[in-house]
Amino acid sequence: MERIWIRAASGLIGVYLLMGLPVRGQQSPSVKPFDLIEWNGGKFVYGADYYPEAWDESQWEKDAVMMQEAGFNFVRMGEFAWAKMEPREGHYDFAWLDRALKVLNSHGVRAVLGTPTASPPAWLYAKYPDIAAMDEKGNRYRYGSRRNYCVHNPDFIAATRRIVTAMAEHYKDHPGVIGWQIDNEVGDPKCFDPVSRAAFQAWCQHKYHTLDALNAAWGTVFWGHTYQTWQEIPLPWNTLYDTANPSLALDFERFQSDSTHAYVDIQASILRKLAPRQAITHNEMGMFPGVDYYDLNRSLDFVAWDNYPIFQKDYSQYAAAGLAHDLMRGSKDNQNFMIMEQEGGLGGWATFGGHQAPAALYRVWAYQSVAHGADGVCYFRWRTSRYGTEQYWQGILDQDSYRNSRYEAVAQAGKELGQLTSLLHGSKVVSPVAMLVSPDSRWAQQIQPGVPDFEYDRQLHDYYDAFRRTGISVDVAFPQSDLSAYRILVAPALFVTDQPLSDKLHKFVLDGGTLILTFRSGVKDEHNVVTDKTLPGPFADLAGVAIHEFDPQLNEEQELLGLGASNYPARTWCDILDPTTARVVATYGKSYYAGKAAVTENRAGKGWVFYVGTESKSPLFYDRMIAFAAAKGNVAVNERIPPGVEVEGRQKGGIRIVFVLNYTAEDKTVPLDQAYRNALTGKPESMDLKIPAYQVVVLTP
Ligand code: GLA
Ligand code: GLA
């Protein structure tokens, strides 16, 4: 769909101007490459999120000295300081920020400035109360927190333009400002007010042109929901007795994502015009489903994201952060990225969030970011706040500024990364395998999960984690991504498909790729309407199976038999497969469909398609599945990596830079595939690499 979207709304009557945005998947021609700070022969940023406005000015110099000693060349500042930068409407004060920049710059520290729109000042709410979003029950949010503005509100958009323009004009030529972060973690809340409803109606009109087309696409014949004017179209109020049409609900998710993109683009256009030499980014949220990041990132120069691995219950489970890194990288066609908020201490608001990790682990997590393609690491935050909601969200330093163990770990990493930067420069993660993430399928399955236990992201992890246990690098692809370089593609629960995506997967397989499809694939068309073809719909021919029966919710214990003569517990759902041309790889072990096919493989063109009709609780099942796929796809597997140790690599010009990361409290031994030397010391390492608890080793041939 052509990306044309609403730019301004005026008042409750909903008069909208339309503006052109980049067509989905196309890069805006003015987007600059990721190119930040020169550092010892490479380019890398290393630093922290810093809030000088919250500390006495006498502290700034001491902070800058400590930053320099920790190897910092970078801070992010300003993203919550609107009230300080525009204390009264139209009156700007940047003098304090100029002074802070001067102190930092004199210690070699440069900045990305955040536009402060995530936290509008009290006077703006007082003057324009409707800038706050309305929830689906019709209650307007009020002033007192942050991130509750309505993305469609004309007064808020006008105020946004004013502050962003004032900042850009003031800092466009400042040598200490290398770029901009737009807003902070955009994507919510959804707004259900009359202006937003009119905006949604305008979006629908732009998409469908005629009401006949919309009524047909959404199947509004159901319950007689046929619309005769655009103004009749409701919002998906999922309150007590209101359960929205899933087609309307999916379009509302797309609308919300497009509105977020349009709002970010309003800021990006101002910055690009006024400050063309400075780069533009946003701090994204990894697996957050509320925004189609692939789409959003057409408007940004490089990807930055906020990485908080500390929320894992078991710190050795590195794959949660790993998948988020890889998704973020994939959302900008695998261009390297940076971390704008890297865990610098315990997280928590009213309560401290969990048990404290050993300080050494913060260094390992920072290296994990680099291993997955980060060319910059910025910790959240320099020092824990004395004030406000986040007093329990730790920075590197605590309120007393003591050189604690986290500071020492961060400083050690700073020293080392400064040494590694020329080696890292120009290197990238190169993966033979990709996971396909479909924002449409993710949204549609949130709207109708089918079974209570259904989790799209868990299915991603089932396969992703298995690849990572063998040391295989994994990319995340989006429907618009180029798939031609991959040997294996896993497309779990590809629930919603359109013709171009179906054609793309057919081409991928026919040209020689190995595709893994799982249950609930090919069920819906792009309007979230169920196909009238036999499942798996558009993939039935590729998979060589037909599905005439399925068993949701598994009332009985179910198991899978096969794949190396083991049995594995099944969960969530069972598709009962009738092979047409496929060969059976595993069968169900129990119930009335015992002996029926559960997993199949099919030759299609030069490629292979696996169809996995269920999900297993056993990681072993996925180890076996990906070993099968790796054999077909001709991908090498290293099965000897000990649990809790991650091996990831970046490559440039035939050189492989290998990161071995031990997230566990035990010393481990990792057998290497060839002789390497330690990239920091230059000394050769044993091919049985000994890696102490909570340590990282970087290797080059
Ligand atoms: C009730 C209603 C039907 C249908 C079913 C299933 O019986 O009368 O219209 O909605 O529930 O939900
Ligand atoms: C997010 C925000 C930060 C901060 C942290 C911790 O990442 O971007 O401003 O609030 O969470 O809560």
Side-chain angles (χ1 to χ4, degrees):
M1 170 193 161
E2 201 188 14
R3 314 304 282 172
I4 293 187
W5 187 229
I6 290 157
R7 176 153 184 181
S10 102
L12 297 185
I13 49 164
V15 178
Y16 294 92
L17 305 172
L18 296 177
M19 98 182 199
L21 271 188
V23 174
R24 194 173 266 249
Q26 275 180 11
Q27 189 108 318
S28 146
S30 60
V31 168
K32 295 182 284 293
F34 180 47
D35 187 11
L36 292 177
I37 300 181
E38 298 270 355
W39 197 24
N40 299 342
K43 281 190 177 141
F44 199 94
V45 294
Y46 194 64
D49 302 308
Y50 187 47
Y51 300 90
E53 67 273 27
W55 304 92
D56 194 88
E57 288 204 28
S58 62
Q59 181 73 43
W60 296 356
E61 175 70 23
K62 292 179 227 160
D63 287 339
V65 169
M66 275 183 89
M67 288 181 185
Q68 195 171 19
E69 284 170 13
F72 285 12
N73 60 9
F74 177 85
V75 288
R76 178 196 66 186
M77 297 194 293
E79 81 279 9
F80 296 116
W82 192 345
K84 196 135 172 96
M85 293 192 266
E86 191 183 2
R88 282 179 298 133
E89 188 164 5
H91 291 82
Y92 301 102
D93 175 11
F94 298 113
W96 63 275
L97 190 52
D98 296 347
R99 290 196 299 278
L101 276 166
K102 196 166 173 199
V103 173
L104 293 160
N105 292 168
S106 72
H107 291 275
V109 173
R110 293 157 82 198
V112 157
L113 296 182
T115 67
T117 45
S119 196
W123 58 257
L124 197 68
Y125 284 88
K127 185 162 181 192
Y128 309 107
D130 289 357
I131 68 168
M134 185 178 276
D135 72 13
E136 49 194 310
K137 293 201 175 105
N139 301 315
R140 215 170 268 288
Y141 299 113
R142 286 164 298 180
Y143 180 68
S145 183
R146 64 171 180 183
R147 277 233 66 73
N148 70 12
Y149 60 78
C150 175
V151 85
H152 307 113
N153 181 276
D155 295 316
F156 187 66
I157 291 171
T160 295
R161 287 182 187 284
R162 287 194 301 269
I163 184 68
V164 174
T165 302
M167 278 186 91
E169 272 170 352
H170 191 83
Y171 289 109
K172 59 181 194 256
D173 296 317
H174 196 300
V177 176
I178 60 168
W180 298 90
Q181 171 188 300
I182 289 172
D183 201 283
N184 193 82
E185 296 188 337
V186 294
D188 62 351
K190 294 187 174 85
C191 182
F192 293 81
D193 75 354
V195 171
S196 300
R197 182 176 176 186
F200 181 54
Q201 291 161 346
W203 184 96
C204 290
Q205 188 167 5
H206 182 76
K207 175 169 178 175
Y208 292 102
H209 304 292
T210 69
L211 281 162
D212 284 350
L214 176 139
N215 282 318
W218 288 3
T220 56
V221 64
F222 183 80
W223 282 352
H225 281 178
T226 306
Y227 306 112
Q228 294 183 6
T229 69
W230 297 101
Q231 289 68 36
E232 290 164 7
I233 296 172
L235 295 179
W237 349 87
N238 285 313
T239 49
L240 198 52
Y241 293 111
D242 296 323
T243 305
N245 177 341
S247 302
L248 179 153
L250 176 58
D251 268 339
F252 188 71
E253 293 291 342
R254 292 167 170 148
F255 158 76
Q256 173 72 15
S257 182
D258 284 358
S259 292
T260 302
H261 184 174
Y263 178 72
V264 166
D265 208 63
I266 286 169
Q267 298 202 24
S269 309
I270 295 170
L271 294 168
R272 197 156 275 131
K273 186 159 155 242
L274 295 180
R277 282 185 295 279
Q278 293 160 334
I280 301 170
T281 191
H282 170 65
N283 57 335
E284 299 179 354
M285 293 183 281
M287 304 302 293
F288 173 69
V291 184
D292 180 339
Y293 282 131
Y294 190 92
D295 200 28
L296 180 73
N297 289 332
R298 301 311 96 189
S299 287
L300 303 176
D301 293 328
F302 66 94
V303 169
W305 81 278
D306 297 346
N307 176 28
Y308 290 98
I310 200 159
F311 291 115
Q312 290 156 213
K313 285 195 192 76
D314 173 358
Y315 294 148
S316 70
Q317 298 303 304
Y318 56 85
L323 177 58
H325 282 304
D326 298 342
L327 181 143
M328 292 274 72
R329 196 179 66 235
S331 69
K332 190 81 174 158
D333 303 306
N334 289 313
Q335 178 181 296
N336 284 1
F337 56 94
M338 77 166 282
I339 304 298
M340 200 56 95
E341 297 180 17
Q342 171 81 31
E343 186 77 53
L346 266 182
W349 280 9
T351 54
F352 285 97
H355 65 287
Q356 182 60 277
L361 207 41
Y362 292 95
R363 170 171 162 266
V364 179
W365 285 328
Y367 269 100
Q368 181 189 25
S369 300
V370 177
H372 284 260
D375 280 346
V377 173
C378 175
Y379 297 89
F380 186 86
R381 48 191 275 164
W382 171 241
R383 182 172 39 236
T384 319
S385 181
R386 292 183 58 210
Y387 315 116
T389 307
E390 296 193 355
Q391 296 168 4
Y392 296 168
W393 199 292
Q394 285 182 322
I396 301 165
L397 303 178
D398 284 314
Q399 288 88 343
D400 63 357
S401 304
Y402 176 70
R403 280 175 188 259
N404 61 22
S405 55
R406 296 194 303 280
Y407 174 84
E408 297 301 345
V410 162
Q412 183 188 344
K415 213 164 289 152
E416 294 163 353
L417 288 166
Q419 245 179 282
L420 293 172
T421 175
S422 68
L423 173 69
L424 291 173
H425 187 58
S427 67
K428 288 176 63 91
V429 177
V430 179
S431 317
V433 172
M435 310 287 309
L436 182 71
V437 169
S438 153
D440 282 346
S441 296
R442 243 173 142 205
W443 284 324
Q445 280 157 340
Q446 268 168 28
I447 294 162
Q448 288 177 297
V451 286
D453 186 35
F454 187 92
E455 275 183 44
Y456 187 83
D457 291 6
R458 188 181 62 221
Q459 285 205 56
L460 289 175
H461 271 295
D462 286 341
Y463 293 89
Y464 176 85
D465 295 13
F467 281 113
R468 297 298 302 128
R469 284 194 287 275
T470 74
I472 295 175
S473 295
V474 180
D475 279 349
V476 170
F478 286 78
Q480 303 93 323
S481 303
D482 177 4
L483 304 177
S484 58
Y486 301 117
R487 295 211 281 277
I488 300 173
L489 181 71
V490 189
L494 193 54
F495 195 51
V496 172
T497 22
D498 57 14
Q499 195 62 46
L501 182 56
S502 167
D503 291 348
K504 198 171 197 171
L505 294 187
H506 277 77
K507 180 166 168 34
F508 173 78
V509 173
L510 299 179
D511 288 352
T514 296
L515 173 67
I516 300 181
L517 292 169
T518 77
F519 61 99
R520 305 311 277 155
S521 289
V523 177
K524 302 260 207 159
D525 72 9
E526 70 265 37
H527 300 300
N528 210 7
V529 165
V530 178
T531 179
D532 58 4
K533 307 229 161 42
T534 296
L535 295 180
F539 306 118
D541 60 332
L542 273 187
V545 295
I547 300 161
H548 302 292
E549 284 183 72
F550 45 73
D551 183 12
Q553 302 204 25
L554 310 188
N555 289 326
E556 294 177 60
E557 284 275 293
Q558 186 50 279
E559 65 181 11
L560 280 155
L561 302 176
L563 288 133
S566 289
N567 66 337
Y568 310 92
R571 74 186 292 174
T572 316
W573 183 281
C574 294
D575 277 335
I576 300 157
L577 306 179
D578 275 339
T580 48
T581 55
R583 190 182 78 81
V584 178
V585 173
T587 56
Y588 292 109
K590 294 188 175 163
S591 185
Y592 60 92
Y593 49 96
K596 294 277 173 88
V599 180
T600 55
E601 68 177 29
N602 192 47
R603 186 81 169 142
K606 294 188 204 135
W608 291 92
V609 178
F610 289 90
Y611 189 96
V612 183
T614 187
E615 191 179 2
S616 178
K617 288 178 198 152
S618 163
L620 207 59
F621 170 74
Y622 295 98
D623 291 342
R624 299 299 304 154
M625 264 314 301
I626 67 124
F628 263 64
K632 292 279 194 274
N634 203 13
V635 170
V637 170
N638 177 1
E639 283 169 7
R640 299 170 306 160
I641 299 171
V645 174
E646 182 178 18
V647 179
E648 181 58 296
R650 289 172 57 153
Q651 301 187 24
K652 66 170 175 184
I655 301 176
R656 183 143 193 265
I657 306 161
V658 180
F659 297 75
V660 184
L661 307 121
N662 183 355
Y663 301 93
T664 75
E666 292 119 49
D667 301 349
K668 301 272 181 166
T669 302
V670 183
L672 301 177
D673 56 346
Q674 62 172 87
Y676 288 98
R677 61 192 171 78
N678 185 305
L680 281 170
T681 65
K683 295 206 182 100
E685 292 281 3
S686 155
M687 284 191 59
D688 275 323
L689 180 76
K690 301 263 182 296
I691 178 152
Y694 305 127
Q695 280 299 320
V696 53
V697 179
V698 185
L699 305 164
T700 49

